[in-house]
């Protein structure tokens, strides 16, 4: 059933409203505001777009419903929607910018709360991802979004997952209230530097973004500690905070982007930094924007590097150096690091500690743990590594098993570089439209 059918079934007569009494019905409003929300990637949307086929069941759409993962690994479907796309700001890269001439719509808090509950009761969704353009001014927007949450939590006693966007520049009291009502809050960092923010999103201020992030972090820590003493203490954003960073709209290098991400993880304990490749939606030639999007692989490489920061013990400074500040599109960041540090290889699999194992291309956290456990029962050979889940086609260049090397006559970085680039080219040629699974990232890199 399409979103239109769903809405018509729920509200057969439609609900009219909006901007200057334009009389946009609810179905149209959902279409506009779900479409406008699709560029926000910080809720882990699946991004797929597939229609039901005759005799089939279900469909997936790029906009409207997205997926995220709960702490126990369950996939949750969320209604992903904007409160309003009627923005007062004029960010150069955004389709909702004030100077664009296209359909605008806004929900009232009760409309959006009713819609969420109606969808929930019919099992279409399990939660809500709510964002908004700046309608009137930041505090007004945040108040309206909080009102949706209040209605859901207090009137409908809705206990499902809610992810809300913190509106930069809004009053700390409103951020506080949002944190007490939502599971996750995310404030988008938007662009990698203050200069780019000034150029492309002049109404946004770096401090207006960083201050709510800091507040969310501090309050999360405070409420977690209180909860240890008083079990009845409320939760504050129990699913933590995340952010979204646009890449390719401004000239910052991957090194700057990764250093910023690392800083955000360390300073504010963010759960995720989501990278969003710039999509040229505004075509006015006078805007200070690149003509096209960045290469698809750039976003992918940044995500791989981000995983190395979060799960493999790497630091941004190690992955990229000032004189080569961008990730190689032909090689993944872990292979790149290994080839720049030949003195660390080959690693003897039967002796290396966990930290060293994690630095070997083709070995991820799960296989590293399995290696450490399995070798307690005796020395490991290449065959055993395959069974354990090591990606041998990559790892063989960087390891020995009981002194045996299977990556060629001996470890020669230049030759290994050529072979890996060839393999990666094959991988890249099949990359178009292909999304790597989490396991592949974790274990294959
Ligand atoms: S504030 Fe900027 S990025 Fe956000 S909706 Fe408005 S124009 Fe778009």
């Amino acid at each position: 059933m399409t979103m239109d059918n769903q809405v018509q079934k729920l509200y057969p007569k439609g609900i009219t409203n909006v901007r200057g009494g334009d009389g946009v019905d609810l179905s149209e409003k959902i279409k506009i505001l779900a479409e406008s929300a699709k560029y926000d990637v910080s809720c882990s949307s699946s991004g797929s777009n597939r229609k039901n086929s005759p005799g089939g069941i279900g469909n997936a759409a790029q906009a409207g419903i997205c997926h995220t993962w709960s702490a126990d690994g369950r996939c949750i479907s969320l209604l992903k929607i904007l409160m309003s796309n009627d923005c007062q700001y004029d960010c150069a890269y955004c389709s909702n910018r004030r100077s664009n001439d296209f359909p605008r719509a806004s929900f009232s808090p009760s409309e959006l709360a009713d819609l969420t509950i109606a969808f929930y009761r019919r099992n279409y969704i399990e939660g809500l991802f709510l964002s908004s353009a700046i309608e009137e001014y930041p505090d007004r927007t945040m108040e309206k979004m909080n009102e949706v949450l209040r209605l859901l939590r207090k009137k409908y006693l809705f206990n499902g997952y809610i992810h809300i966007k913190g509106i930069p520049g809004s009053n700390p009291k409103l951020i506080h209230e949002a944190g007490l009502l939502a599971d996750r809050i995310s404030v988008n960092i938007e662009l990698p530097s203050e200069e780019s923010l000034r150029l492309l999103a002049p109404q946004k201020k770096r401090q207006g973004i960083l201050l709510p992030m800091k507040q969310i972090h501090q309050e999360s820590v405070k409420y977690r500690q209180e909860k240890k003493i008083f079990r009845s203490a409320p939760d504050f954003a129990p699913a933590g905070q995340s952010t979204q960073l646009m890449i390719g709209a401004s000239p910052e290098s991957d090194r700057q982007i990764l250093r910023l991400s690392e800083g955000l993880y360390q300073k504010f304990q963010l759960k995720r930094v989501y990278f969003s490749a710039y999509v040229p939606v505004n075509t006015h030639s006078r805007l200070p924007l690149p003509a096209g999007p960045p290469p698809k692989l750039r976003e992918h490489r940044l995500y791989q590097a981000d995983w190395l920061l979060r799960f493999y013990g790497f630091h941004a400074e190690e992955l990229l150096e000032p004189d080569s500040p961008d990730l190689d599109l032909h090689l993944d960041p872990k292979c790149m690091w290994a080839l720049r540090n030949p003195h660390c290889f080959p690693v003897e699999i039967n002796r290396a500690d966990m930290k060293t194992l994690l630095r070997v291309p083709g070995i991820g956290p799960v296989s590293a743990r399995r290696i450490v456990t399995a070798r307690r029962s005796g020395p490991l050979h290449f065959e055993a590594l395959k069974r354990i889940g090591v990606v041998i086609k990559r790892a063989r260049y960087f390891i020995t098993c009981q002194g045996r090397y299977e990556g060629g006559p001996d470890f020669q970085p230049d030759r290994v570089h050529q072979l890996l680039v060839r393999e990666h080219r094959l991988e890249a040629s099949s990359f178009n439209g292909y999304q790597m699974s989490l396991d592949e990232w974790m274990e294959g890199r």
Side-chain angles (χ1 to χ4, degrees):
M1 189 188 282
T2 65
M3 177 89 65
D4 277 357
N5 296 139
Q6 289 167 358
V7 174
Q8 269 151 27
K9 233 176 132 186
L10 296 168
Y11 298 100
K13 293 183 192 130
I15 293 177
T16 55
N17 128 26
V18 227
R19 212 190 180 197
D22 303 3
V24 182
D25 74 21
L26 188 65
S27 167
E28 191 57 26
K29 209 187 284 191
I30 292 171
K31 238 195 259 168
I32 293 170
L33 291 167
E35 176 71 19
S36 294
K38 79 178 181 190
Y39 294 108
D40 199 316
V41 297
S42 61
C43 66
S44 315
S45 171
S46 64
S48 56
N49 189 13
R50 190 180 49 257
K51 286 203 165 58
N52 195 4
S53 54
I57 183 168
N59 62 63
Q62 275 182 336
I65 295 187
C66 70
H67 301 100
T68 192
W69 286 269
S70 66
D72 60 5
R74 261 180 329 118
C75 180
I76 312 172
S77 47
L78 304 177
L79 172 62
K80 177 180 178 181
I81 203 139
L82 294 191
M83 185 91 218
S84 168
N85 70 347
D86 192 2
C87 200
Q88 298 307 303
Y89 286 8
D90 214 29
C91 307
Y93 48 82
C94 178
S95 59
N96 298 326
R97 70 197 298 256
R98 188 182 55 202
S99 34
N100 278 1
D101 182 18
F102 78 111
R104 306 282 179 170
S106 301
F107 283 114
S108 70
S110 58
E111 266 180 343
L112 195 42
D114 290 353
L115 183 75
T116 306
I117 290 300
F119 272 29
Y120 182 80
R121 286 195 175 131
R122 285 169 188 254
N123 238 353
Y124 300 150
I125 54 154
E126 292 164 275
L128 174 68
F129 173 79
L130 180 60
S131 184
S132 185
I134 312 289
E135 204 186 357
E136 298 181 54
Y137 51 93
D139 280 356
R140 176 79 192 110
T141 309
M142 199 75 226
E143 266 166 21
K144 273 182 78 180
M145 292 165 79
N146 282 357
E147 178 60 17
V148 176
L149 269 54
R150 262 195 304 275
L151 287 168
L152 288 171
R153 295 293 197 217
K154 311 271 187 228
K155 179 178 168 191
Y156 292 107
L157 303 178
F158 177 69
N159 278 312
Y161 182 85
I162 299 178
H163 177 169
I164 190 174
K165 282 279 157 187
I167 300 295
S170 48
N171 190 304
K173 278 188 192 154
L174 296 168
I175 297 288
H176 170 79
E177 187 183 10
L180 291 174
L181 293 164
D183 293 278
R184 172 170 285 191
I185 316 187
S186 53
V187 185
N188 284 353
I189 188 91
E190 303 282 3
L191 291 159
S193 73
E194 193 156 9
E195 199 184 328
S196 294
L197 201 64
R198 207 168 27 242
L199 192 68
L200 299 179
Q203 285 116 327
K204 291 185 179 168
K205 301 284 168 271
R206 188 81 157 175
Q207 277 309 305
I209 296 170
L210 294 178
L211 283 175
M213 280 184 166
K214 186 176 171 191
Q215 182 191 346
I216 295 163
H217 168 53
Q218 288 176 339
E219 295 214 45
S220 300
V221 172
K222 183 182 129 205
Y223 278 91
R224 264 201 311 272
Q225 280 166 353
E226 271 183 23
K227 202 147 184 96
K228 283 184 196 157
I229 303 166
F230 309 107
R231 283 178 64 195
S232 58
D235 287 318
F236 186 91
Q241 63 168 325
S242 57
T243 193
Q244 175 176 305
L245 179 54
M246 183 177 294
I247 54 164
S250 52
E252 289 82 7
S253 66
D254 293 341
R255 187 168 185 270
Q256 280 170 281
I257 290 169
L258 285 179
R259 288 185 64 192
L260 172 63
S261 308
E262 186 174 54
L264 293 173
Y265 286 128
Q266 288 169 353
K267 228 172 165 180
F268 303 132
Q269 313 267 285
L270 259 62
K271 292 283 182 198
R272 284 293 298 270
V273 175
Y274 290 92
F275 303 112
S276 157
Y278 162 64
V279 180
V281 286
N282 300 323
T283 48
H284 319 282
S285 55
R286 270 175 299 157
L287 289 173
L289 287 165
K296 252 187 175 179
L297 265 171
R298 186 177 175 200
E299 185 186 275
H300 180 65
R301 292 282 180 245
L302 279 166
Y303 272 121
Q304 289 176 325
D306 173 78
W307 278 65
L308 295 182
L309 300 184
R310 291 190 298 135
F311 300 112
Y312 290 74
F314 280 89
H315 294 288
E317 297 277 351
E318 291 179 282
L319 292 173
L320 289 164
E321 285 161 8
D323 54 352
S324 56
D326 289 311
L327 293 166
D328 192 328
L329 296 186
H330 302 298
L331 272 187
D332 72 71
K334 200 175 178 189
C335 283
M336 232 175 83
W337 176 84
L339 291 169
R340 272 208 323 269
N341 292 278
H343 58 282
C344 300
F345 299 99
V347 161
E348 170 53 50
I349 231 66
N350 288 292
R351 281 197 304 273
D353 61 17
M354 187 72 184
K355 192 176 167 212
T356 310
L357 288 173
L358 281 174
R359 299 213 153 206
V360 177
I363 297 183
V366 175
S367 47
R369 274 195 299 275
R370 285 180 186 157
I371 289 170
V372 172
T373 308
R375 70 189 183 191
R376 285 186 200 132
S377 318
L380 295 176
H381 303 277
F382 279 93
E383 272 311 306
L385 292 183
K386 252 187 231 166
R387 286 197 297 274
I388 274 173
V390 172
V391 183
I392 293 290
K393 70 170 182 176
R394 191 158 293 128
R396 68 192 161 128
Y397 302 116
F398 301 97
I399 57 171
T400 55
C401 283
Q402 290 198 290
R404 197 169 138 210
Y405 182 70
E406 288 205 352
D410 55 8
F411 179 62
Q412 294 167 16
D414 289 347
R415 188 181 56 84
V416 172
H417 184 268
Q418 278 175 9
L419 290 167
L420 285 173
V421 166
R422 200 184 309 151
E423 272 177 28
H424 277 69
R425 279 216 179 103
L426 288 174
E427 197 178 288
S429 65
S430 60
F431 178 75
N432 211 2
Y434 170 69
Q435 190 168 9
M436 281 211 153
S437 74
L438 247 67
D439 288 347
E440 281 172 299
W441 276 350
M442 291 286 280
E443 288 308 306
R445 301 294 127 190

